[in-house]
């Protein structure tokens, strides 16, 4: 499998009246053809910002990529010109948004919205574009595609609209599809259908997918690998089985404990006690310290070294460092209270 | 669609009838008659004239005479301009007023929309502040003040433009400016705020994610949605421009309908009052109908026809 995306040490900041928000603070991951990487984590941990950075759709001038590389098929997108980015967006990398009710323009026909990307990027005639649009609607399972092309978004149900959004994203045959909570706004049965659709599409087109979600049920069903994000960092990453069956990071363990059983679909994450740290001045040490049941002195002071139980699995946590089990670094909670 | 148009047409007739009735009541409530000021006329002559114009009939009969004139679209002769029928006056004045009004509304629309879009795209930038300053001034300065200022500064002092009348394109610039600035300012502000809102919508982000060129995102995806509120207030703006033409025509001595309308009221020229009022209201009601149609064309969620029945 060919590697198509490699993100190295990505930092994204937003300048606001209150100061600088460090939304993404050194994220690394990579992605291969035909693979699905799920990015999970609580609200505000930087999932969408990471996704938008890859598309270079961070609202500027407030937001900017402060550091890091986004190597996509050999090019660093972080340094690409706006003009070149427009040739990549929609063609090589596509994006699907959370709410299908608002992602389609209410005043344009489905056909128009489906074909405009194709017509912008590839030299195709109106006829050819329409033909392709019909094929796409067929692929995503919209009946009567011919009549549907002339209709407007309000004439479709939520699930149908999300299928259309997916068709739009796929019409130029991208290598990478970023889906930011594609099923969150849908009800459970429709969710399952959409996830199945992803699977079918991936089999047919070998597209790589970044799937952003709150929902561990979705992850269990659709992901190959998982990256767990917390406060702008990936704190644990591994294959689906590694993360689900041998979670190393206490945050991941907390997430998993908050659902009763893994094979139950559609369970939402329940928040672990406490709140994530303030991203204006994120802690220097482990950001999970304030909420971690195993927190130690060292956690607060120094960011943990990476623990790598396998070639595909890592967690940023001090628990697995042998040195912390020496007496002078023992459990903070017991000593201070 | 046919049903909808028929319904609207019926409503138009009803509206015009109500306006005509109110006008008639008001006309009769004002004391005096068209012949009050004529010093020379003796009583016999006045009676003759009154008979000639049916002013000796009881009000209810007069009312029906007017209704008939409206129904037949023949408003009869003017009392004060013996050589002209009301229809002559309308035929002479309307093209000029329409020219003034239409140019003004186009100028207001085009410049207002451009100003609003630029301001939104450069949100909190210099263009934004400048555009909104112009808009606030435009909204707060009444058109007759602006007209007088323009004449004073650009026509009398600087001599760039003719002072008054309506003959060449040069003559048209100041009246149009005076008439269009207020509506332009309103349109600019509305376009800006609705554009700012539309630009945060998901479908705009989606359009960007498709890699569309920026002008396509703005014009095709954002502007069409952002103009919805502008279309909604077009009716009010049209009415404003219409009444504005009375004032502007008077100030610039433009021989349009507005001039006849104002004159006819001062002189109690009943047939002209009736004719111009009915004509103005018919025009406005029809324009509002066109605005509704435009709204339906712009927003596919609004269906003028199919949903009517159920
Ligand atoms: N345009 C912006 N301006 C300022 N701060 C922003 C902006 N967009 C995101 N942020 C900040 O970046 C952080 C990460 O936001 P992000 O949207 O990536 O979270 P998320 O993980 O996608 O959350 P959710 O699950 O709620 O979608 C948040 O703390 C947020 O305050
Ligand atoms: S580093 Fe410390 S605080 Fe952070 S998760 Fe590990 S044990 Fe908990
Ligand atoms: Mg998000």
């Amino acid at each position: 499998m060919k590697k198509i995306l490699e993100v190295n040490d990505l930092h994204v900041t937003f300048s606001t009246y209150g100061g600088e928000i460090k939304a993404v603070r050194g994220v690394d991951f990579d992605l291969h053809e035909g693979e699905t990487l799920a990015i999970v984590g609580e609200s505000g941990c930087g999932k969408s910002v990471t996704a938008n950075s890859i598309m270079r759709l961070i609202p500027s001038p407030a937001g900017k990529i402060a550091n890091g590389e986004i190597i996509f098929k050999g090019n660093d997108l972080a340094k690409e010109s706006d003009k070149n980015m427009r040739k990549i967006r929609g063609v090589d990398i596509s994006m699907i948004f959370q709410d299908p009710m608002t992602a389609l323009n209410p005043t344009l026909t489905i056909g128009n919205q489906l074909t405009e990307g194709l017509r912008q990027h590839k030299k195709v005639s109106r006829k050819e574009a329409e033909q392709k649009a019909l094929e796409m609607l067929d692929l995503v399972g919209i009946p009567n595609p011919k009549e549907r092309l002339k209709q407007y978004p309000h004439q479709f149900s939520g699930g149908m609209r999300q299928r259309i959004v997916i068709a739009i994203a796929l019409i130029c045959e991208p290598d990478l599809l970023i889906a930011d909570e594609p099923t969150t706004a849908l009800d459970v049965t429709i969710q399952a259908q959409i996830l199945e659709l992803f699977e079918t599409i991936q089999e047919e087109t070998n597209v790589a997918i970044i799937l952003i979600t709150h929902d561990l049920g979705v992850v269990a069903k659709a992901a190959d690998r998982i990256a767990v994000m917390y406060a702008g960092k990936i704190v644990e990453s591994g294959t689906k089985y590694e993360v689900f069956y041998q979670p190393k990071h206490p945050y991941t363990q907390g997430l998993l404990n908050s659902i009763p059983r893994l094979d139950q679909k559609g369970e939402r994450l329940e928040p672990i006690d406490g709140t994530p740290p303030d991203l204006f001045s994120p802690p220097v040490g482990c950001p999970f310290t304030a909420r971690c049941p195993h927190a130690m002195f060292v956690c607060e002071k120094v960011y943990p070294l990476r623990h790598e139980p396998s070639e595909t699995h890592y967690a940023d946590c001090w628990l697995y460092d042998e040195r912390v089990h020496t007496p002078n670094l023992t459990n903070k909670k017991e000593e201070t209270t | 669609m046919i049903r909808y148009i028929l319904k609207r047409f019926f409503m138009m007739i009803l509206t015009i009838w109500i306006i005509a009735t109110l006008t008639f009541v008001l006309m009769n409530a004002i004391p005096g008659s068209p012949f009050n000021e004529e010093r020379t006329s003796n009583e016999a002559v006045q009676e003759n004239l009154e008979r000639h114009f049916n002013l000796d009939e009881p009000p209810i009969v007069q009312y029906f005479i007017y209704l008939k004139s409206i129904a037949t679209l023949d408003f009869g002769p003017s009392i004060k301009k013996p050589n002209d029928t009301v229809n002559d006056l309308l035929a002479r004045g309307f093209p000029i007023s329409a020219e003034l009004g239409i140019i003004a509304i186009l100028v207001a629309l085009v410049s207002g929309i451009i100003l609003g879009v630029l301001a939104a795209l450069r949100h909190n930038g210099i263009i934004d502040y400048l555009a909104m300053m112009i808009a606030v001034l435009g909204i707060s300065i009444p058109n007759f003040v602006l007209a007088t200022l323009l004449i004073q500064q650009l026509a009398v002092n600087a001599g760039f433009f003719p002072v008054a009348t309506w003959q060449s394109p040069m003559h048209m610039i100041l009246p149009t400016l005076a008439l269009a600035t207020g509506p332009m300012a309103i349109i600019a502000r509305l376009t800006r705020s609705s554009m700012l809102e539309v630009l945060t919508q998901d479908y705009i982000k989606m359009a960007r994610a498709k890699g569309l060129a920026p002008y396509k995102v703005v014009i095709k995806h954002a502007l069409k949605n952002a103009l919805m509120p502008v279309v909604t207030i077009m009716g009010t703006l049209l009415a404003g421009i219409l009444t504005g033409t009375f004032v502007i025509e008077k100030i610039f001595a433009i021989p349009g309908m507005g001039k006849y309308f104002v004159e006819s009221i001062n002189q109690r020229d009943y047939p002209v009052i009736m004719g111009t009022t009915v004509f103005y209201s018919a025009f406005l009601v029809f324009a509002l109908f066109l605005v509704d149609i435009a709204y339906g064309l712009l927003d596919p969620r609004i269906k003028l026809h199919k949903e009517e029945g159920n």
Side-chain angles (χ1 to χ4, degrees):
Chain A
M1 272 197 302
K2 225 170 71 194
K3 188 191 271 190
I4 63 162
L5 179 73
E6 187 179 327
V7 174
N8 293 321
D9 198 30
L10 180 68
H11 285 76
V12 183
T13 58
F14 291 93
S15 32
T16 66
Y17 290 117
E20 192 174 71
I21 298 178
K22 296 168 188 71
V24 171
R25 309 185 293 134
V27 157
D28 329 80
F29 61 87
D30 53 18
L31 192 63
H32 299 83
E33 273 178 358
E35 189 183 35
T36 300
L37 170 72
I39 302 181
V40 296
E42 284 166 304
S43 189
C45 68
K47 305 183 296 291
S48 298
V49 171
T50 304
N52 292 339
S53 313
I54 299 171
M55 286 292 261
R56 284 271 305 279
L57 283 174
I58 293 179
S60 70
K64 67 165 196 282
I65 297 178
N67 194 17
E69 299 175 319
I70 301 165
I71 312 287
F72 176 74
K73 296 205 287 189
N75 291 332
D76 185 359
L77 301 186
K79 295 183 181 62
E80 202 59 271
S81 71
D82 285 342
K83 195 159 164 252
N84 284 342
M85 271 321 291
R86 283 204 289 281
K87 291 185 191 139
I88 292 171
R89 281 183 206 135
V91 184
D92 297 307
I93 309 178
S94 282
M95 197 155 178
I96 296 171
F97 298 97
Q98 172 171 350
D99 191 352
M101 303 315 263
T102 57
L104 293 169
N105 189 327
T107 59
L108 298 174
T109 61
I110 296 307
N112 192 334
Q113 298 187 58
L114 259 165
T115 53
E116 65 178 340
L118 196 61
R119 301 199 62 197
Q120 162 110 11
H121 297 295
K122 314 220 159 148
K123 303 263 171 279
V124 297
S125 70
R126 180 179 295 258
K127 268 257 158 61
E128 289 168 309
E130 228 157 73
Q131 191 51 44
K132 182 78 189 169
L134 289 177
E135 279 169 32
M136 290 316 298
L137 287 185
D138 206 41
L139 174 70
V140 299
I142 303 252
N144 304 327
K146 221 175 182 107
E147 292 148 41
R148 292 302 218 167
L149 277 186
K150 294 188 201 76
Q151 295 186 333
Y152 290 93
H154 70 275
Q155 291 162 298
F156 293 82
S157 67
M160 285 286 201
R161 289 194 209 186
Q162 195 62 308
R163 286 168 189 269
I164 292 166
V165 170
I166 294 171
I168 292 175
L170 292 174
I171 197 161
C172 291
E173 295 167 357
D175 302 309
L176 171 60
L177 181 65
I178 301 172
D180 192 350
E181 316 215 19
T183 60
T184 310
L186 304 172
D187 67 52
V188 182
T189 41
I190 314 279
Q191 268 186 24
Q193 290 170 9
I194 296 286
L195 291 180
E196 265 158 39
L197 177 60
F198 276 130
E199 216 169 299
T200 328
I201 286 164
Q202 203 165 37
E203 274 164 24
E204 282 186 29
T205 63
N206 210 27
V207 63
I209 299 178
I210 295 179
L211 180 67
I212 292 173
T213 180
H214 284 102
D215 188 333
L216 285 181
V218 169
V219 177
K221 187 158 170 22
D224 298 315
R225 283 194 297 134
I226 301 175
V228 180
M229 267 190 97
Y230 187 77
K233 285 176 175 286
I234 292 179
V235 294
E236 176 158 12
S237 171
T239 65
K240 173 163 73 182
Y241 300 100
E242 285 167 339
V243 174
F244 268 112
Y245 295 119
Q246 293 136 30
K248 296 294 180 205
H249 198 283
Y251 177 61
T252 315
Q253 291 164 356
L255 288 182
L256 290 168
N257 284 340
S258 64
I259 47 172
R261 273 176 48 207
L262 289 182
D263 48 15
Q264 269 181 344
K265 283 184 217 161
E267 288 294 336
R268 292 293 224 93
L269 303 190
E270 272 172 38
I272 307 160
D273 279 346
T275 49
D278 173 14
L279 292 177
F280 285 111
S281 51
V284 284
C286 172
F288 195 53
T289 313
R291 301 165 76 186
C292 180
H294 312 292
M296 300 163 283
F297 274 141
V298 63
C299 301
E300 199 175 3
K301 300 279 184 287
V302 190
Y303 190 79
L305 292 178
R306 191 153 281 184
H307 168 61
E308 295 178 71
S310 84
E311 226 167 78
T312 49
H313 190 188
Y314 71 74
D316 289 355
C317 176
W318 278 125
L319 278 183
Y320 306 96
D321 195 295
E322 280 171 11
R323 286 164 294 176
V324 303
H325 300 291
T326 57
N328 56 343
L329 283 169
T330 43
N331 202 306
K332 170 184 155 189
K333 286 189 176 153
E334 283 163 25
E335 291 224 343
T336 49
T337 52
Chain B
M1 193 66 186
I2 304 277
R3 236 182 106 158
Y4 172 77
I5 290 177
L6 279 179
K7 202 168 143 190
R8 280 303 293 251
F9 185 73
F10 178 73
M11 288 304 287
M12 281 186 213
I13 302 283
L14 196 71
T15 315
I16 292 169
W17 172 67
I18 292 173
I19 292 172
T21 307
L22 281 176
T23 311
F24 180 81
V25 170
L26 286 173
M27 249 168 32
N28 277 280
I30 310 172
S33 99
F35 310 111
N36 272 358
E37 290 149 30
E38 252 132 280
R39 304 259 168 260
T40 50
S41 58
N42 60 38
E43 241 164 63
V45 174
Q46 184 156 335
E47 263 170 36
N48 261 336
L49 280 168
E50 286 190 351
R51 191 160 325 119
H52 185 249
F53 290 106
N54 300 313
L55 296 179
D56 55 341
E57 304 280 359
I60 187 74
V61 176
Q62 287 187 39
Y63 175 63
F64 281 107
I65 291 174
Y66 280 120
L67 284 191
K68 189 174 152 242
S69 73
I70 294 168
T72 57
L73 295 178
D74 178 5
F75 297 97
S78 158
I79 298 178
K80 287 293 175 173
K81 297 190 173 60
N83 301 326
D84 288 315
T85 65
V86 178
N87 291 37
D88 288 339
L89 295 180
L90 292 180
R92 215 178 308 142
F94 177 65
I96 296 175
S97 295
E99 200 173 17
L100 172 63
I102 288 171
I103 295 176
I105 200 93
L106 287 181
V107 167
L109 266 177
V110 172
S111 54
I113 289 171
I114 291 177
L115 214 59
V117 169
L118 286 181
L121 292 181
R122 296 275 172 276
H123 184 37
N124 287 337
I126 291 174
I127 296 183
D128 188 17
Y129 289 128
L130 268 177
M132 285 311 105
M133 218 162 77
I134 297 174
V136 169
L137 284 178
I139 289 173
S140 42
I141 300 179
N143 54 15
F144 57 88
V145 174
L146 185 62
T148 334
L149 262 172
L150 288 174
I151 294 174
Q152 175 72 29
Q153 295 305 325
L154 298 182
V156 177
N157 287 355
F160 294 148
F161 300 98
V163 173
T165 73
W166 189 257
Q167 292 156 19
S168 70
M170 272 314 255
H171 286 82
M172 299 178 179
I173 292 177
L174 292 189
T176 308
L177 220 75
L179 188 55
T181 301
M184 180 219 52
I186 295 173
I187 293 171
R189 282 180 54 130
L190 199 60
T191 306
R192 172 182 178 269
S193 64
S194 90
M195 192 77 183
L196 279 177
E197 198 201 306
V198 166
L199 284 175
T200 64
Q201 298 291 312
D202 281 357
Y203 56 79
I204 296 298
K205 199 168 164 200
M206 174 116 169
R208 292 210 175 101
K210 283 179 191 169
L212 297 184
Y215 77 90
K216 265 204 179 151
V217 176
V218 170
I219 292 174
K220 183 174 173 186
H221 284 270
L223 192 56
K224 198 173 172 194
N225 286 285
L227 286 186
M228 233 68 93
V230 177
V231 176
T232 319
I233 62 148
M234 273 314 283
T236 326
L237 284 184
L238 279 174
I241 291 238
L242 199 140
T243 46
T245 57
F246 303 162
V247 180
I248 297 301
E249 284 178 13
K250 184 90 187 148
I251 294 178
F252 285 91
I254 296 169
M257 264 174 73
K259 185 169 146 260
Y260 297 128
F261 182 61
V262 175
E263 268 175 22
S264 68
I265 293 172
N266 288 338
Q267 301 173 342
R268 312 267 144 63
D269 195 341
Y270 294 150
V272 181
I273 296 180
M274 209 57 182
T276 40
T277 310
V278 168
F279 191 87
Y280 273 128
S281 39
F283 182 77
L284 192 59
V285 169
F286 185 67
L288 294 183
F289 170 65
L290 290 186
V291 167
D292 277 2
I293 300 261
Y295 204 66
L297 290 180
L298 216 53
D299 188 347
R301 285 166 296 188
I302 294 171
K303 276 282 163 283
L304 299 177
H305 32 106
K306 293 203 182 90
E307 268 90 333
E308 279 297 303
N310 47 19

